[in-house]
């Protein structure tokens, strides 16, 4: 990004009194401000960024972007300063636009997907399809930046400065195509504004994040922001009509004049006609604009077909040939820690790792596995410490009602007594076997596998550590499963 500066007006910002200083950088954290920076003092959930304007000015900020409340909080400091002041009703949106103009470059083709479940999988499948078509592609979200260029991310949808820096670096590294997860928090906080989208997708809508959004209506409105604000009018909306909220999202996109590709039930542009399940995946029959196709998906779980078709819709919306898109589907692999095949025993029994850490997710995962399993379904579950305690017995209940054999073990106990957490989970699964040590629970679950059985290790998915007290101990469910299978089947590691 180099040492450089831009006039404030080049960032589409207008200061009070017409000031137009040279800006040398952007920051939302006053500790990161340097001489000539624009500091964005944003409203927060606990404290307003206006409280930190005084520190930003001491660090040499040349401009302050905030709202009326922020300006009032720092009125004394601002009066005594010659820094430019930009006051706007929506400073988050103004910052997103400024960040886009500051960093400039973005991959030529960007799509985004929102929804309660499936965002990570859809974004990953989009990237994989593009990669199979020899395009330099990445996906951004929960698992960081993956693909032709990689980078870590602290949030599913990063704040605008981080996001636009990331997009610019991706473009500089030759990335031409990017698929993004659009979280409700990210949309609500205007983090995606300024991203030039070719298409946007909607997967589904279920209860989540009500600690942040307060009501279902507010949560849905946040997600709808992807279509009624971020996706331009000439963008293409890809809507899953199988979800009850799909029709409502369709109307929002239609009102904006966006072209729409529908996915799901009979009559959709991309229509799922039939699925046939086996131990390693599923055969899929579907249609595109009335033409029928059949293909292989090496993915466990019926819901993955919806995710894959939504991904196909986004890739087609972004300009790729449908026939070529569908040819890539047998090569798709699951997201790390999402219904991931971790190991297979010599007797053919399979071990899967999944991030399911809510009762709903455990039910969904086990029900999705059932058609693939001829024998018994075995589950390993736990619950995290310092988190919603009411879900603990429900975790046990979800497992015991949908699996044939259940082991209850530790997840991330954090600061709590692991035995107390396990006891709460056991209340919902009185017939389960309690094994505190997670490695031992995995070994015992795998040891119980007979031909035709399958094991689901739920809760931690892609995580590579276990949080015990204030320590993060190295622990990877996939790695542990491989070690256990090798030990039990007498393989040389």
């Amino acid at each position: 990004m180099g040492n450089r500066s831009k006039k404030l007006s080049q960032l589409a910002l207008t200061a009070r009194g017409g000031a137009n200083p040279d800006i040398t950088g952007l920051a939302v954290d006053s500790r990161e401000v340097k001489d000539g920076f624009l500091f964005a003092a944003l409203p927060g959930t606990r404290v307003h960024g206006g409280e930190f304007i005084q520190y930003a000015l001491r660090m040499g900020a040349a401009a302050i972007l905030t709202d009326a409340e922020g300006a009032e909080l720092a009125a004394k400091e601002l009066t005594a300063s010659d820094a430019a002041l930009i006051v706007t009703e929506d400073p988050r949106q103004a910052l997103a636009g400024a960040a886009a103009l500051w960093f400039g470059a973005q991959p030529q083709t960007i799509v985004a997907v929102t929804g309660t479940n499936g965002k990570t999988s859809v974004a990953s499948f989009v990237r994989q399809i593009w990669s199979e078509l020899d395009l330099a592609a990445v996906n951004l979200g929960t698992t960081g930046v993956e693909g032709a260029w990689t980078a870590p991310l602290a949030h599913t949808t990063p704040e605008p400065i981080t996001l636009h820096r990331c997009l610019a670096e991706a473009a500089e590294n030759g990335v031409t195509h990017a698929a993004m997860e659009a979280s409700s928090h990210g949309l609500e906080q205007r983090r995606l504004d300024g991203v030039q989208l070719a298409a946007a997708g909607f997967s589904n809508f279920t209860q989540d994040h009500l600690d942040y959004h307060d009501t279902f209506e507010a949560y849905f409105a946040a997600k709808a922001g992807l279509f009624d604000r971020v996706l331009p009018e000439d963008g293409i909306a890809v809507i899953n009509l199988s979800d009850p909220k799909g029709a409502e999202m369709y109307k929002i996109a239609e009102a904006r004049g966006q072209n729409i590709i529908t996915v799901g039930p009979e009559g959709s542009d991309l229509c799922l006609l039939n699925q046939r399940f086996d131990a390693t995946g599923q055969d899929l029959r579907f249609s595109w604009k009335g033409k029928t196709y059949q293909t292989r998906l090496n993915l466990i779980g019926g819901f993955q077909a919806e995710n894959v078709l939504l991904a196909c819709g986004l890739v087609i919306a972004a300009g790729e040939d449908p026939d070529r898109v569908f040819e890539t589907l047998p090569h798709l692999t699951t997201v790390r820690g999402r219904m991931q095949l971790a190991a297979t025993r010599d007797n053919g029994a399979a071990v899967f790792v999944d991030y399911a850490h809510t009762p709903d997710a455990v039910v969904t995962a086990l029900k999705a596995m059932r058609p693939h399993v001829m024998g018994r379904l075995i589950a390993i579950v736990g619950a995290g410490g310092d988190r919603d305690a009411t879900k603990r017995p429900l975790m046990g209940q979800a497992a015991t009602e949908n699996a044939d054999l259940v082991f209850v073990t530790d997840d991330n106990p954090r600061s709590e007594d692991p035995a107390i957490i396990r006891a709460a989970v056991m209340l919902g699964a009185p017939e389960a076997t309690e094994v505190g040590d997670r490695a031992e629970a995995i070994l015992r679950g795998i040891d119980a596998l007979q031909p035709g059985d399958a094991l689901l290790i739920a809760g931690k998915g892609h995580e590579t550590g276990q949080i015990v007290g204030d320590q993060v101990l190295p622990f990877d469910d996939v790695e542990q499963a491989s070690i256990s299978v090798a030990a039990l089947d007498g393989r040389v590691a």
Side-chain angles (χ1 to χ4, degrees):
M1 303 303 150
N3 291 320
R4 56 181 172 140
S5 67
K6 289 190 179 184
K7 286 289 185 186
L8 185 66
S9 57
Q10 290 178 279
L11 304 179
L13 297 174
T14 304
R16 287 184 173 177
N20 192 24
D22 290 325
I23 301 298
T24 59
L26 311 177
V28 288
D29 185 332
S30 60
R31 293 166 296 186
E32 293 175 4
V33 172
K34 296 182 175 66
D35 274 336
F37 267 43
L38 168 81
F39 173 61
L42 306 175
T45 48
R46 287 188 293 276
V47 64
H48 196 292
E51 303 277 5
F52 301 96
I53 289 174
Q54 55 181 313
Y55 306 113
L57 292 171
R58 282 180 213 160
M59 300 288 277
I64 303 294
L65 169 64
T66 191
D67 59 9
E69 185 184 348
E72 195 174 319
L73 282 167
K76 189 176 170 186
E77 288 80 6
L78 287 165
T79 304
S81 166
D82 59 359
L85 174 63
I86 307 100
V87 179
T88 174
E89 279 186 25
D90 196 341
R92 291 185 182 280
Q93 192 166 28
L95 173 64
L101 291 166
W102 173 261
F103 290 105
Q106 296 183 20
Q108 295 156 20
T109 303
I110 307 178
V111 303
V113 59
T114 196
T116 307
N117 302 308
K119 293 186 297 294
T120 305
S121 293
V122 172
S124 174
F125 293 151
V126 168
R127 186 259 304 164
Q128 289 182 54
I129 292 169
W130 277 333
S131 298
E132 287 286 329
L133 297 174
D134 294 323
L135 299 167
V138 295
N139 60 282
L140 297 82
T142 308
T143 50
V145 184
E146 299 180 310
W149 176 74
T150 59
L153 290 177
H155 299 97
T156 299
T157 309
E159 50 80 18
I161 299 172
T162 302
L163 175 60
H164 284 283
R165 180 187 293 118
C166 180
L167 290 173
E169 287 177 358
E172 283 181 7
N173 282 277
V175 172
T176 58
H177 290 66
M180 296 180 57
E181 295 178 49
S183 69
S184 57
H185 296 66
L187 287 163
E188 175 81 14
Q189 295 175 12
R190 306 298 195 259
R191 295 180 194 171
L192 272 88
D193 292 55
V195 178
Q196 294 156 13
L197 294 180
F202 169 72
S203 60
N204 51 56
F205 183 81
T206 58
Q207 181 174 338
D208 202 3
H209 301 306
L210 293 189
D211 53 329
Y212 178 83
H213 294 289
D214 295 333
T215 66
F216 264 144
E217 291 74 23
Y219 178 37
F220 182 77
K223 292 203 170 296
L226 182 59
F227 301 94
D228 66 22
R229 189 184 74 252
V230 183
L231 182 67
E233 289 173 7
D234 61 354
I236 299 177
V238 185
I239 310 285
N240 175 22
L241 291 182
S242 298
D243 187 85
K245 283 286 189 180
E248 199 173 327
M249 206 65 93
Y250 182 100
K251 286 177 185 169
I252 289 167
E254 189 177 41
R256 285 286 305 286
Q258 292 155 354
N259 286 329
I260 303 171
I261 292 175
T262 54
V263 179
E266 193 176 339
S268 301
D269 298 318
L270 261 171
C271 179
L272 180 58
L273 301 173
N274 213 340
Q275 291 163 280
R276 183 174 60 203
F277 304 98
D278 57 42
T280 58
Q282 54 195 293
D283 293 313
L284 209 61
R285 192 166 181 266
F286 64 96
S287 65
W288 163 249
K289 302 276 190 184
K291 181 181 175 183
T292 302
Y293 297 81
Q294 187 159 323
T295 192
R296 173 71 184 171
L297 283 186
N298 295 305
L299 302 168
I300 296 293
F303 62 88
Q304 289 286 36
E306 272 188 17
N307 288 336
V308 166
L309 290 184
L310 188 62
C312 288
L314 284 166
V315 176
I316 292 166
E320 299 307 313
D321 176 68
D323 285 344
R324 290 191 68 215
V325 169
F326 303 144
E327 285 169 8
T328 69
L329 301 189
H331 303 135
L332 297 183
T333 57
T334 189
V335 175
R336 189 163 58 90
R338 305 294 205 278
M339 282 296 190
Q340 181 180 354
L341 178 60
T344 305
R345 293 211 59 178
D346 287 349
N347 65 13
V351 183
F352 293 91
V353 167
D354 191 75
Y355 191 45
H357 57 278
T358 65
D360 248 8
V362 170
V363 171
T364 300
L366 290 169
K367 282 188 171 174
M369 283 183 71
R370 183 64 76 178
H372 297 273
V373 180
M374 293 181 72
R376 297 173 306 159
L377 196 45
I378 303 173
I380 294 174
V381 295
D386 303 334
R387 296 292 186 269
D388 180 6
T390 62
K391 78 176 186 184
R392 292 170 186 175
L394 300 177
M395 290 290 284
Q397 184 182 351
T400 204
E401 287 180 357
N402 292 281
D404 303 298
L405 182 62
V406 177
F407 292 86
V408 170
T409 191
D410 293 344
D411 192 287
N412 291 315
R414 298 184 177 88
S415 70
E416 291 193 60
D417 181 343
I420 291 173
I421 300 173
R422 292 196 306 273
V425 177
M426 290 291 291
L427 287 174
E431 304 296 310
T433 302
E434 183 180 350
V435 184
D437 183 87
R438 193 170 180 90
E440 184 189 343
I442 290 172
L443 182 70
R444 289 178 63 171
I446 290 172
D447 189 36
L449 289 170
Q450 297 171 5
D453 291 351
L455 168 67
L456 178 71
I457 305 169
K460 290 171 57 58
H462 61 280
E463 293 175 3
T464 55
Q466 185 176 30
I467 308 169
V468 181
D470 57 3
Q471 290 185 296
V472 180
L473 307 175
F475 198 96
D476 185 320
D477 282 353
V478 174
E479 183 181 42
Q480 201 62 47
S482 299
I483 291 167
S484 298
V485 167
L488 290 165
D489 287 345
R491 300 177 195 169
V492 178

